[in-house]
């Protein structure tokens, strides 16, 4: 997955207007949602509308993902059969229990790619881990999983899975179980060599809260964040874009190590830097330089 993918905006699959608005906006990825955003009675209509959105926005297909319904329900294959002719850039798989779900999805996608004249393996997968209690124990099992581009996590379904009355503290921060879920997603994604994507901020009116969380998790190692409203997109994009000061510092660090190729540590602005600092500087520059 590109290092420059920061914002992932959900759009309900049963609303042409909202999907079009999302696609025409600034989100790096748009997730056309057939799961939670679409009521049971509207699933069939939603599939038709998502297929139509993919067909109507050919130039945007690579940035359009579809969240299908979970594999433990009755809708996944119907979702995939309906949307794959539209050649989405990727599939978002919710309520993943473990690696075997990704392997099952890979088989479905391979068959549908062949049937629709799509290059085999071209359709990426973003998995929603931690939405079930079982999945918490398998976040580190995805190394080498087919098609895996990223991993994200969910707190609401996890609360349902464990029977919790709430997942937040009085101050709005997540309770320990859900902070653990976030950490396991991050560690699992790093193990798999995939991008870690932060979960949604449900209070879409509080953009300062979105900004604070996005900046915090970026420092932790997340590559991007989910959004549920177009107003959140610009905030997320800014938060995950390195500042000019960060870029300048990273270039200084890279240049210092290049000038001292045999050094294990180098003094820099009153601190000692070692090779991990060089690695982080190179990673930051890779986000902004071709």
């Amino acid at each position: 997955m590109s290092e420059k993918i920061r914002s992932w905006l959900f759009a309900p699959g049963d609303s042409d207007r909202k999907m079009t608005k999302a696609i025409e906006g600034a989100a790096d990825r748009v997730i056309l949602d057939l799961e939670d955003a679409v009521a049971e009675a509207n699933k069939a209509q939603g599939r038709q509308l998502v297929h139509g959105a993919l067909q109507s926005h050919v130039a945007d297909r690579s940035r359009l993902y579809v969240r299908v319904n979970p594999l433990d329900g009755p809708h996944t294959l119907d979702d995939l059969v309906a949307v794959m002719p539209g050649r989405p850039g990727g599939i978002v798989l919710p309520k993943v229990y473990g690696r075997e779900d990704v392997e099952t999805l890979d088989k479905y996608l391979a068959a549908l790619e062949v049937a629709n004249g799509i290059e085999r393996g071209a359709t990426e997968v973003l998995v929603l881990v931690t939405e079930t209690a079982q999945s918490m124990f398998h976040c580190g099992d995805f190394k080498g999983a087919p098609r895996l581009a990223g991993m994200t996590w969910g707190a609401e379904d996890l609360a349902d899975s464990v029977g919790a009355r709430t997942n937040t503290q009085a101050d709005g921060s997540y309770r320990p179980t859900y902070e653990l879920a976030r950490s396991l997603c991050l560690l699992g994604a790093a193990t798999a060599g995939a991008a870690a994507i932060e979960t949604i901020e449900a209070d879409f009116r509080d953009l300062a809260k979105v900004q604070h969380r996005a900046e915090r998790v970026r420092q932790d190692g997340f590559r991007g964040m989910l959004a549920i409203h177009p107003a959140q997109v610009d905030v997320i994009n800014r938060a995950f874009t390195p500042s000019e000061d960060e870029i300048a510092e990273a270039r200084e660090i890279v240049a210092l190590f290049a000038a001292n190729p045999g050094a294990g540590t180098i003094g820099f602005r009153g601190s000692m830097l070692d090779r991990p600092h060089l690695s982080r500087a190179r990673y930051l520059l890779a986000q902004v330089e071709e």
Side-chain angles (χ1 to χ4, degrees), residues 35-211:
E35 193 209 10
D36 288 345
V38 179
E40 189 73 17
N42 295 336
K43 296 291 188 187
Q45 179 192 24
R47 292 182 194 111
Q48 294 176 359
L49 292 176
V50 168
H51 176 264
L54 291 167
Q55 297 284 32
S56 300
H57 296 88
V58 175
D60 291 291
R61 281 175 175 169
S62 64
R63 58 187 279 267
L64 304 184
Y65 279 50
V66 178
R67 178 161 73 168
V68 297
N69 286 277
L71 287 170
D72 62 358
H75 299 299
T76 316
L77 276 174
D78 288 338
D79 293 344
L80 292 170
V81 169
V83 304
M84 284 303 292
R87 299 171 178 251
I91 297 294
V92 178
L93 185 64
K95 297 180 179 63
V96 170
Y97 287 88
R99 179 194 181 100
E100 64 276 8
D101 287 346
V102 180
E103 292 171 344
T104 297
L105 178 61
D106 172 58
K107 293 174 184 176
Y108 294 160
L109 290 175
L112 288 166
E113 285 169 340
V114 170
N116 289 284
I118 303 169
E119 180 184 355
R120 183 165 178 171
T123 312
E124 296 182 335
V125 172
L126 175 71
V127 294
L128 262 159
V129 295
T130 83
E131 288 190 306
T132 67
Q134 177 180 324
S135 67
M136 292 277 283
F137 297 96
H138 297 284
C139 290
D141 296 345
F142 291 89
K143 185 176 183 178
R147 305 174 183 271
L148 187 66
M151 295 171 62
T152 187
W153 69 285
E156 301 306 322
D157 286 290
L158 178 59
D160 289 342
S161 178
V162 302
R165 294 179 59 191
T166 180
N167 54 26
T168 56
Q169 311 272 22
D171 64 359
S173 63
Y174 281 117
R175 298 175 73 86
T177 298
Y178 308 93
E179 288 291 350
L180 174 62
R182 172 189 277 141
S183 296
L184 289 173
C185 174
L186 176 62
L187 294 169
T191 300
I197 308 300
E198 170 65 355
T199 193
I200 65 165
E201 171 52 59
D203 187 356
F204 61 85
R205 293 181 180 86
D206 191 343
L207 297 183
K209 190 175 181 180
V210 175
Q211 179 178 344

